[in-house]
């Protein structure tokens, strides 16, 4: 199936390179994270303009706790500030907010803010913005497996009746479509424990630009590259007309 002229339904972004963007300017890493928020706002607007259904952004990985305490505290504070400053505007634009990742490790006041943002925007239909915070894909798959194991142990499900749909339904991204396009900024070409299951047939685009420099031009170019690729899903090349 060719993706020619098709807008990807689900775009996922690994927003990487904030620290290096700041270092190159002689600024503290935190300045890069702050500038990254403006890039995020540009990405959301652009996704909406292009009629993308779902935009999932990687804002904090389960592995990011290993960073210095001060940086972790800054990133947590930045998420709070983003929620406080941007949710009303996103809501007025019809954006539905979802948060994925392990919430139980976060402080109760932050969890409340995340729950409130989800509830407020629940009925919106314009764009689903999925914020992956304290997210790790292997941990997500592990949790799905544990849930299914409970069902088996309770006699609700037979082991041989477990299907891919059961696993998908127990991932936090259910019922979102699989990722069509994964963009990673910052020059690294790896997936860093992000949406491993959901990216099974995603097209990957790695950009050398750091996240704070991400804008509509880069986003539209990435979508154009996606559209120029032929997605085969294991089949054969489509016959040219
Ligand atoms: C991405 O930028 C933001 C997070 C991982 C939270 P980095 O902070 O990883 O920036 P670099 O990769 O060190 O430049
Ligand atoms: C991935 O970036 C996580 C986020 C963008 C939130 P990292 O900077 O943490 O990834 P690695 O360590 O370079 O793989
Ligand atoms: Mg990084």
């Amino acid at each position: 199936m060719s993706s020619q002229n098709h807008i990807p339904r689900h775009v996922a972004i690994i927003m990487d390179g904030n620290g290096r963007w700041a270092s190159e300017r002689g600024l503290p890493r935190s300045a890069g994270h702050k500038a990254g928020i403006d890039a995020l706002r540009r990405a959301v607007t652009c996704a909406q303009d292009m009629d993308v259904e779902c935009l999932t952004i990687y804002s904090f990985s389960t592995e990011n706790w290993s960073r210095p305490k001060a940086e972790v505290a800054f990133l947590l504070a930045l998420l709070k500030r983003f929620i406080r400053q941007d949710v009303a505007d996103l809501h007025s634009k019809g954006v539905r907010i979802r948060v994925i990742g392990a919430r139980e490790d976060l402080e109760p006041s932050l969890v409340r803010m995340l729950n409130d943002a989800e509830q407020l925007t629940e009925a919106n239909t314009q764009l689903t913005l999925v914020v992956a915070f304290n997210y790790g894909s292997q941990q997500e798959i592990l949790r799905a497996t544990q849930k299914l194991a409970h069902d088996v142990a309770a006699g609700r499900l037979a082991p041989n009746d477990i299907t891919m749909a059961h696993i998908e339904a127990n991932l936090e991204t259910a019922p979102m479509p699989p990722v069509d396009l994964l963009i990673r900024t910052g020059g690294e070409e790896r997936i860093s424990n992000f949406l491993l299951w959901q990216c099974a047939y995603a097209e990957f685009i790695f950009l050398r630009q750091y996240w704070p420099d991400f804008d509509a031009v880069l986003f539209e170019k990435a979508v154009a590259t996606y559209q120029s690729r032929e997605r085969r899903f294991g089949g054969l090349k489509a016959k040219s007309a």
Side-chain angles (χ1 to χ4, degrees):
M1 188 176 79
S2 163
S3 46
Q4 197 90 38
N5 300 325
H6 287 210
I7 290 296
R9 290 180 69 193
H10 189 170
V11 178
I13 306 185
I14 302 177
M15 312 184 292
D16 196 24
N18 293 349
R20 282 164 286 162
W21 180 92
S23 301
E24 285 184 8
R25 286 162 177 74
L27 298 169
R29 291 177 56 84
S30 56
H33 296 314
K34 217 168 141 231
I37 295 289
D38 292 326
L40 171 59
R41 292 182 181 124
R42 290 192 289 273
V44 171
T45 304
C46 189
Q48 253 195 310
D49 290 347
M50 288 191 290
D51 279 335
V52 167
E53 252 176 73
C54 181
L55 176 69
T56 302
I57 49 145
Y58 205 5
S59 46
F60 191 89
S61 75
T62 42
E63 290 73 30
N64 287 146
W65 292 106
S66 66
R67 294 192 179 195
K69 251 189 171 160
E71 179 162 346
V72 169
F74 188 86
L75 290 166
L76 287 162
L78 203 59
L79 174 67
K80 277 192 188 170
R81 201 187 317 160
F82 176 71
I83 298 281
R84 223 176 274 128
Q85 290 182 344
D86 285 62
V87 165
D89 184 49
L90 291 169
H91 182 45
S92 73
K93 290 177 177 155
V95 176
R96 180 163 72 122
I97 298 169
R98 293 263 342 257
V99 183
I100 59 172
R103 259 178 251 205
E104 59 272 17
D105 305 335
L106 306 175
E107 58 174 271
S109 65
L110 176 55
V111 174
R112 255 193 315 275
M113 287 174 81
L114 300 177
N115 291 343
D116 289 349
E118 285 184 328
Q119 266 169 29
L120 175 73
T121 60
E122 203 168 30
N124 291 345
T125 55
Q126 284 306 302
L127 166 79
T128 300
L129 174 66
V130 183
V131 180
F133 198 91
N134 192 22
Y135 174 84
S137 184
Q138 290 178 324
Q139 293 83 342
E140 177 192 33
I141 294 169
L142 172 65
R143 278 196 301 273
T145 309
Q146 287 170 337
K147 276 192 227 156
L148 291 172
H150 279 297
D151 288 344
V152 169
R156 289 189 291 267
L157 187 61
N160 287 340
D161 290 341
I162 298 175
T163 62
M164 298 219 284
H166 284 102
I167 297 177
E168 258 154 26
N170 283 286
L171 295 177
E172 290 191 77
T173 44
M176 275 159 251
V179 175
D180 296 304
L181 168 61
L182 176 100
I183 301 170
R184 180 172 188 145
T185 58
E188 312 291 357
E189 300 191 354
R190 55 175 171 257
I191 194 161
S192 301
N193 202 14
F194 189 44
L195 302 175
L196 302 177
W197 177 285
Q198 297 87 341
C199 280
Y201 265 103
E203 295 294 329
F204 284 38
I205 292 183
F206 297 105
L207 301 175
R208 64 183 157 73
Q209 287 87 354
Y210 297 136
W211 177 249
D213 290 328
F214 191 77
D215 61 10
V217 174
L218 286 172
F219 202 164
E220 282 164 11
K221 252 168 79 178
V223 169
T225 303
Y226 163 84
Q227 288 172 333
S228 74
R229 292 186 186 174
E230 182 168 23
R231 303 182 77 190
R232 289 195 287 279
F233 300 97
L236 298 179
K237 195 168 167 26
K239 281 203 189 83
S240 49

